[in-house]
Amino acid sequence: MGKNPTKRLAILNSAEHVFAERGFHEATISDIAAGAKVSDATIYEYFPSKEALLFAIPAEYSLNFQEQNRYVLKYINGQANKLRAIVLRLLELYQDHPEYANVIIMILKTSRKFTETNEYDVIRQSAQLMRKIIEDGMASGEFRSDLNPAIVRSMMLGTIEHLVVRKAILGKPENLVEQADSVVSVLFNGVLEPPEESAIKINLTLQKKTRGQDGQAEIKDSE
Amino acid sequence: MGKNPTKRLAILNSAEHVFAERGFHEATISDIAAGAKVSDATIYEYFPSKEALLFAIPAEYSLNFQEQNRYVLKYINGQANKLRAIVLRLLELYQDHPEYANVIIMILKTSRKFTETNEYDVIRQSAQLMRKIIEDGMASGEFRSDLNPAIVRSMMLGTIEHLVVRKAILGKPENLVEQADSVVSVLFNGVLEPPEESAIKINLTLQKKTRGQDGQAEIKDSE
Amino acid sequence: MGKNPTKRLAILNSAEHVFAERGFHEATISDIAAGAKVSDATIYEYFPSKEALLFAIPAEYSLNFQEQNRYVLKYINGQANKLRAIVLRLLELYQDHPEYANVIIMILKTSRKFTETNEYDVIRQSAQLMRKIIEDGMASGEFRSDLNPAIVRSMMLGTIEHLVVRKAILGKPENLVEQADSVVSVLFNGVLEPPEESAIKINLTLQKKTRGQDGQAEIKDSE
Amino acid sequence: MGKNPTKRLAILNSAEHVFAERGFHEATISDIAAGAKVSDATIYEYFPSKEALLFAIPAEYSLNFQEQNRYVLKYINGQANKLRAIVLRLLELYQDHPEYANVIIMILKTSRKFTETNEYDVIRQSAQLMRKIIEDGMASGEFRSDLNPAIVRSMMLGTIEHLVVRKAILGKPENLVEQADSVVSVLFNGVLEPPEESAIKINLTLQKKTRGQDGQAEIKDSE
DNA sequence: GATGAATGAGGATTCATTCAT
DNA sequence: GATGAATGAATCCTCATTCAT
């Protein structure tokens, strides 16, 4: 079993690059080996199989990512702000490491097997962190108490992943991080124009004796 | 060139099944042929290649889906309700056709090539429909005017896809459709507990028998 | 079994074209069928197999060629002139029908099977005709009596075929027929400069004072 | 990339054998691999494709053949004798290596592609050597000065190839090399019975003390 | 520890050919 | 007689993986 950590990292980096470029099946061990300037056989000194090599990629990243998250979150007050921070950090991560983004999304979407892996734990922990923040926010009254935390988390991750994939395929949102606040804004406040009704309804009620009516129809179906 | 539409459909169905089960690369033409009770060679009478067969799958579905969407939406009033209907319809579609769900997500996430295909048009149109609804809602004042339609759409699709993938991989949300209103609720109103004060304050202010109305503007941007 | 002779000929012509263009194995029945504006299946109404179709091509040609040869040769005097005529006729044939040339040479060189075919008879007869002319020429004293007729025939056919192949591959001798007399000249007289010394020189020396002239006739047709 | 020259040679030999036996298209990589006692995949370690393997065969041979030719020819005096030596050497080569003969003829006749190959160079050089000898012979007066070198070469090669093919297909001339002198004899002197008239006849006739001169002009162009 | 060389296993694709209509 | 449709059979080639050195 190979022990040289530099070589191991070179292989992982090359793998990330090649997998991202061509996808898992189109990528060949030879490509990866060439990129890492080692022989094909050497790859097998460090990783037992092509698939294991793929699965090893997120571990490296996520561990780091996770730790820094914990570090950063300590200094942030309020669950909403924490959630916002996580959205930002994820978009940053994917923006700065588009090849890693491709790999992660390929893995998560393509490989059922991955979820049965130890390597998946890091991902799982990240998800649990988000869940905890949401639950804390619900408990503290910061978030609505009728939320389904799993759904909220899916919204966050799903949205981010969708944006990342769009970027990967269409190149469209040039800068992912800049989208963060749009995302957070909708996530926090929703898309609806807030119901201005209350005030106005009461007005109407109170203004008895006015003659002119107006605008009620619209007001009513403001839901 | 094979022309029998029944056989063509049998092949497509079998392909959908096998692709969903094993993924594109692990699926073999022989498997698909066996599932459709035709010979391997017959597949090639109907589709020029394995990849083309994959790409042909969404076209069949989406066309139908699209049409029915248009039909249904005609009878729905308000853009918010329309958006909710689309969320529902998508979740229904993926719930009722989990194999199609797998294929669509495999394709969309995995294959850059697919986006350059004519078959991709149906997908594109669906996205444009959503965009239009969002824009209409913004114009009518139903939705906040500061929304980024592309982001909102990404949130919807991303969330739905994330849920679908979770279900495919973890089996977790037993019933996708039941999650629809949770999703819609967050999408519409956000996760934050609304600041309950306002209403009352306004009431107080307004109850003074004033004639002129004003201040709504401020209220509006209280979001 | 198909009976329409026009259609049969169309198939043969298309086959000749396609075989010549792509070679036997690269040619497909579909190509040939398309060229003949019939369906693939129709080909099998007229010919039992792809190979049989190939073998059927020379028969058509050679029969014609053979007959005309016989007709022409009747009017030619002297075996040397007859041989020359055959060289010319072959070069003409291949020049005028380059696709047939390709096919014939592919067949003769590639297919051991062809020689066991009835269709090969036409070729065989042509070879025998040449052999007969050579033998007649040897008997009549026109040709050297120590020739090996098979070798001479191989020289003629081999040379011609070599030129034809060169033309097919390199395009080189623009006009094959123009080469005929060069070929014939070498075939008849060889490449060596004849030893001019002895006879004539001596003659000149010795002829001093003779009056009578003679022998020119023989000298002239020595060319 | 395989580098073992022994194995490489084993593959080439097996390929030569199998190609000669079955022809290019009927030959399978599996057959060749079995003959060389390697796996199918190993073939591709040494040659990039089946076709490349075919094309690699003549290179091996021709190089050797060429070198030995040059060596032998050095010791031969006179262009006629050199030409004769080449005919002999070619017939020997094909006689001793009938499988190579088959392959070479298959390639030359079948594959237009081959002429665009680097491997074809060896063949081309061989042809140029012959051409040079012919031209030298013409210059030195050994050969007739009105020869077309390309035609003469085509006659030599064409004849030899024709004999080889006949042997391959009909098995007919048991011994090719024995035919060499028949071929050379015709090539050098042609098939025509030389006009014996001149010298002797004239001598006898002329000795009658005649004075008139005659016929010299015609005699000269009797060549 | 690193690797050059060898290979087993596997799969998409092509086409000549058949046959019911 | 003609053909559209279906298919059996066959093969090149790729690549992850192994292992002796």
Side-chain angles (χ1 to χ4, degrees):
Chain A
M1 265 300 159
K3 285 278 169 83
N4 183 333
T6 314
K7 209 163 269 189
R8 188 187 138 89
L9 208 57
I11 294 171
L12 274 170
N13 284 333
S14 175
E16 180 185 317
H17 178 71
V18 176
F19 283 145
E21 191 100 347
R22 309 217 214 311
F24 180 70
H25 276 98
E26 315 311 333
T28 70
I29 290 289
S30 290
D31 289 337
I32 296 170
K37 307 205 174 171
V38 298
S39 75
D40 289 26
T42 298
I43 302 242
Y44 288 87
E45 291 292 319
Y46 288 85
F47 302 93
S49 74
K50 188 187 177 186
E51 199 177 44
L53 173 54
L54 172 67
F55 291 168
I57 294 173
E60 303 289 310
Y61 269 98
S62 294
L63 226 52
N64 248 319
F65 181 67
Q66 220 78 202
E67 262 172 43
Q68 283 200 23
N69 268 0
R70 263 186 267 276
Y71 177 80
V72 166
L73 290 176
K74 247 193 312 192
Y75 299 103
I76 295 181
N77 216 354
Q79 307 310 310
N81 282 333
K82 285 185 178 173
L83 229 44
R84 180 176 171 284
I86 286 182
V87 170
L88 258 171
R89 296 244 331 127
L90 277 169
L91 286 174
E92 259 173 37
L93 173 69
Y94 291 141
Q95 169 126 295
D96 294 348
H97 304 281
E99 298 186 333
Y100 173 64
N102 273 3
V103 169
I104 262 295
I105 278 151
M106 270 169 46
I107 289 172
L108 288 176
K109 310 290 152 167
T110 294
S111 175
R112 229 158 303 204
K113 243 180 267 179
F114 180 58
T115 49
E116 297 152 9
T117 309
N118 285 338
E119 282 82 1
Y120 183 64
D121 274 356
V122 207
I123 308 286
R124 208 179 338 249
Q125 282 169 31
S126 176
Q128 276 160 1
L129 175 62
M130 293 176 63
R131 185 191 186 100
K132 183 158 189 331
I133 294 174
I134 296 166
E135 285 171 347
D136 288 354
M138 289 166 65
S140 73
E142 210 172 336
F143 297 154
R144 292 160 44 195
S145 58
D146 62 343
L147 294 178
N148 178 336
I151 295 282
V152 175
R153 190 188 51 201
S154 281
M155 285 192 77
M156 289 175 61
L157 293 177
T159 303
I160 290 168
E161 283 170 17
H162 199 270
L163 288 171
V164 169
V165 169
R166 259 180 70 93
K167 166 118 196 243
I169 285 181
L170 305 179
K172 271 291 265 296
E174 179 61 43
N175 188 316
L176 283 176
V177 178
E178 285 175 0
Q179 312 292 327
D181 277 318
S182 292
V183 172
V184 170
S185 162
V186 177
L187 179 69
F188 283 0
N189 305 302
V191 299
L192 292 188
E193 180 69 34
E196 327 157 39
E197 343 73 28
S198 46
I200 292 155
K201 244 185 225 151
I202 292 167
N203 277 347
L204 293 174
T205 319
L206 294 174
Q207 277 166 7
K208 281 170 186 168
K209 300 188 175 148
T210 48
R211 307 169 227 109
Q213 289 103 331
D214 40 48
Q216 283 98 338
E218 299 94 320
I219 292 172
K220 270 178 194 144
D221 70 65
S222 77
E223 189 259 323
Chain B
M1 266 297 162
K3 282 272 163 169
N4 184 334
T6 313
K7 206 163 275 191
R8 188 187 137 89
L9 211 56
I11 293 171
L12 274 171
N13 285 332
S14 174
E16 180 186 317
H17 178 69
V18 176
F19 283 145
E21 191 99 349
R22 307 219 213 315
F24 179 70
H25 278 97
E26 316 310 334
T28 70
I29 291 289
S30 291
D31 289 337
I32 296 170
K37 307 206 175 171
V38 298
S39 75
D40 289 26
T42 297
I43 303 253
Y44 289 88
E45 290 290 318
Y46 289 85
F47 301 94
S49 73
K50 190 186 175 186
E51 199 178 44
L53 174 53
L54 173 66
F55 289 169
I57 293 173
E60 302 289 310
Y61 269 97
S62 296
L63 226 52
N64 249 319
F65 180 68
Q66 220 80 205
E67 263 171 44
Q68 283 199 22
N69 268 0
R70 267 186 263 275
Y71 177 78
V72 167
L73 290 176
K74 250 194 310 193
Y75 300 103
I76 296 180
N77 216 353
Q79 308 309 311
N81 283 332
K82 283 184 179 174
L83 228 45
R84 181 177 171 281
I86 285 182
V87 170
L88 259 169
R89 295 249 326 129
L90 276 170
L91 286 172
E92 259 173 38
L93 172 69
Y94 290 142
Q95 169 127 296
D96 295 348
H97 304 281
E99 298 186 331
Y100 173 63
N102 273 4
V103 168
I104 261 296
I105 278 151
M106 271 169 44
I107 290 172
L108 287 177
K109 308 293 152 167
T110 294
S111 173
R112 228 157 304 205
K113 237 181 272 179
F114 180 58
T115 48
E116 296 154 9
T117 310
N118 284 336
E119 282 82 2
Y120 183 64
D121 274 356
V122 207
I123 308 285
R124 215 185 326 255
Q125 283 169 30
S126 176
Q128 277 161 359
L129 174 62
M130 294 178 63
R131 185 192 187 99
K132 182 158 190 332
I133 293 174
I134 296 165
E135 286 172 343
D136 287 354
M138 289 167 66
S140 75
E142 208 171 338
F143 297 154
R144 292 160 46 198
S145 58
D146 61 343
L147 295 177
N148 179 336
I151 294 281
V152 174
R153 189 188 53 199
S154 280
M155 285 192 77
M156 290 177 61
L157 293 177
T159 304
I160 290 169
E161 283 170 18
H162 199 270
L163 289 169
V164 168
V165 169
R166 258 180 70 95
K167 165 119 198 243
I169 285 180
L170 304 178
K172 271 290 264 298
E174 178 61 44
N175 188 316
L176 283 176
V177 177
E178 285 174 1
Q179 312 291 327
D181 277 319
S182 292
V183 171
V184 170
S185 162
V186 177
L187 179 69
F188 283 1
N189 304 304
V191 299
L192 293 186
E193 182 69 17
E196 323 164 38
E197 338 77 27
S198 48
I200 293 155
K201 252 183 220 152
I202 293 167
N203 277 348
L204 293 174
T205 321
L206 293 174
Q207 275 161 6
K208 299 173 184 168
K209 290 178 184 162
T210 46
R211 305 167 231 111
Q213 290 102 335
D214 44 40
Q216 281 96 339
E218 294 95 319
I219 293 171
K220 269 174 195 151
D221 69 61
S222 77
E223 167 270 313
Chain C
M1 265 300 161
K3 285 279 169 82
N4 184 334
T6 313
K7 207 163 271 192
R8 187 187 138 88
L9 209 57
I11 294 171
L12 274 170
N13 283 333
S14 175
E16 179 186 317
H17 178 70
V18 176
F19 283 144
E21 191 100 348
R22 307 218 214 312
F24 180 70
H25 277 97
E26 316 311 333
T28 70
I29 291 288
S30 290
D31 289 337
I32 296 170
K37 308 204 174 174
V38 298
S39 76
D40 289 25
T42 299
I43 302 242
Y44 288 87
E45 291 292 319
Y46 288 86
F47 302 93
S49 73
K50 188 186 177 187
E51 200 177 43
L53 173 54
L54 173 67
F55 291 168
I57 294 173
E60 302 289 310
Y61 269 97
S62 294
L63 226 51
N64 248 318
F65 181 67
Q66 221 79 206
E67 261 172 45
Q68 283 199 23
N69 268 0
R70 264 186 266 276
Y71 176 79
V72 167
L73 289 176
K74 250 194 308 192
Y75 299 102
I76 294 180
N77 216 354
Q79 307 310 309
N81 283 333
K82 285 185 178 174
L83 229 43
R84 180 176 172 283
I86 286 182
V87 170
L88 259 171
R89 296 253 321 133
L90 276 170
L91 286 174
E92 260 172 38
L93 173 69
Y94 291 141
Q95 169 127 296
D96 295 348
H97 304 281
E99 297 186 333
Y100 173 65
N102 274 3
V103 169
I104 262 295
I105 278 151
M106 270 168 45
I107 289 171
L108 288 177
K109 309 292 153 167
T110 294
S111 173
R112 227 157 306 203
K113 241 180 270 181
F114 179 58
T115 48
E116 297 152 10
T117 310
N118 285 337
E119 281 83 1
Y120 183 64
D121 275 356
V122 207
I123 307 286
R124 212 182 332 253
Q125 282 168 32
S126 175
Q128 276 161 0
L129 174 61
M130 292 176 65
R131 186 192 186 98
K132 182 156 191 330
I133 294 174
I134 295 166
E135 285 172 346
D136 287 354
M138 288 166 66
S140 75
E142 209 172 338
F143 296 154
R144 290 160 46 196
S145 59
D146 62 343
L147 295 177
N148 178 336
I151 295 281
V152 175
R153 188 188 53 200
S154 281
M155 286 192 76
M156 289 175 61
L157 293 177
T159 304
I160 290 168
E161 284 170 17
H162 199 271
L163 288 171
V164 168
V165 170
R166 258 181 71 97
K167 166 119 196 240
I169 286 180
L170 305 178
K172 270 290 266 294
E174 180 61 44
N175 188 315
L176 283 176
V177 177
E178 286 176 0
Q179 312 291 327
D181 277 318
S182 291
V183 172
V184 170
S185 161
V186 177
L187 179 69
F188 283 0
N189 304 304
V191 299
L192 293 187
E193 182 70 15
E196 325 165 36
E197 345 74 25
S198 46
I200 293 150
K201 251 184 217 149
I202 293 167
N203 277 349
L204 293 175
T205 321
L206 294 175
Q207 275 165 1
K208 283 168 186 171
K209 292 177 180 155
T210 48
R211 296 174 238 110
Q213 293 102 330
D214 43 41
Q216 283 98 336
E218 297 92 325
I219 292 169
K220 269 177 193 145
D221 70 63
S222 77
E223 177 260 319
Chain D
M1 264 299 161
K3 281 272 161 168
N4 185 332
T6 314
K7 206 163 274 189
R8 187 187 139 90
L9 211 57
I11 293 171
L12 273 171
N13 285 332
S14 175
E16 180 185 318
H17 178 70
V18 176
F19 283 145
E21 191 100 347
R22 308 220 215 312
F24 179 69
H25 276 98
E26 315 310 334
T28 71
I29 290 290
S30 290
D31 289 337
I32 296 170
K37 307 208 173 167
V38 297
S39 75
D40 289 28
T42 298
I43 303 253
Y44 288 88
E45 289 290 317
Y46 289 86
F47 302 94
S49 73
K50 189 186 175 186
E51 199 178 43
L53 174 53
L54 174 67
F55 290 169
I57 294 173
E60 302 290 308
Y61 269 98
S62 296
L63 225 51
N64 249 319
F65 181 67
Q66 219 79 201
E67 263 171 43
Q68 283 199 22
N69 268 0
R70 265 186 264 275
Y71 176 79
V72 166
L73 289 177
K74 249 194 311 193
Y75 299 103
I76 295 181
N77 217 352
Q79 308 309 312
N81 283 332
K82 284 184 178 175
L83 229 44
R84 180 177 172 282
I86 286 182
V87 170
L88 258 171
R89 295 240 338 121
L90 276 170
L91 287 173
E92 259 173 39
L93 173 68
Y94 290 141
Q95 170 125 293
D96 294 348
H97 304 281
E99 298 185 332
Y100 173 63
N102 271 4
V103 168
I104 261 296
I105 278 151
M106 269 169 47
I107 290 172
L108 287 177
K109 309 292 150 163
T110 294
S111 174
R112 229 158 301 205
K113 239 181 270 177
F114 180 59
T115 48
E116 296 153 10
T117 310
N118 284 336
E119 282 81 2
Y120 183 64
D121 274 356
V122 207
I123 308 285
R124 212 183 329 253
Q125 282 169 30
S126 177
Q128 276 162 0
L129 174 63
M130 294 177 61
R131 186 192 186 99
K132 180 155 192 333
I133 293 174
I134 296 167
E135 286 172 344
D136 287 354
M138 289 167 66
S140 74
E142 211 173 336
F143 297 154
R144 291 160 46 196
S145 59
D146 62 343
L147 295 177
N148 178 337
I151 295 281
V152 175
R153 189 187 54 199
S154 281
M155 286 192 77
M156 290 176 61
L157 292 177
T159 304
I160 289 168
E161 282 170 17
H162 199 269
L163 289 171
V164 168
V165 169
R166 260 181 69 94
K167 165 116 198 244
I169 285 181
L170 305 178
K172 272 288 268 293
E174 179 61 42
N175 187 316
L176 283 176
V177 178
E178 285 176 0
Q179 311 292 326
D181 277 319
S182 291
V183 171
V184 171
S185 162
V186 177
L187 179 68
F188 283 1
N189 305 302
V191 299
L192 293 186
E193 182 68 31
E196 327 158 39
E197 342 71 26
S198 46
I200 294 154
K201 249 185 220 154
I202 293 167
N203 275 348
L204 295 173
T205 322
L206 293 176
Q207 275 163 6
K208 301 174 183 167
K209 289 172 187 161
T210 48
R211 321 168 212 108
Q213 292 97 331
D214 44 47
Q216 282 96 340
E218 297 93 321
I219 293 170
K220 270 181 193 138
D221 70 62
S222 76
E223 168 268 316

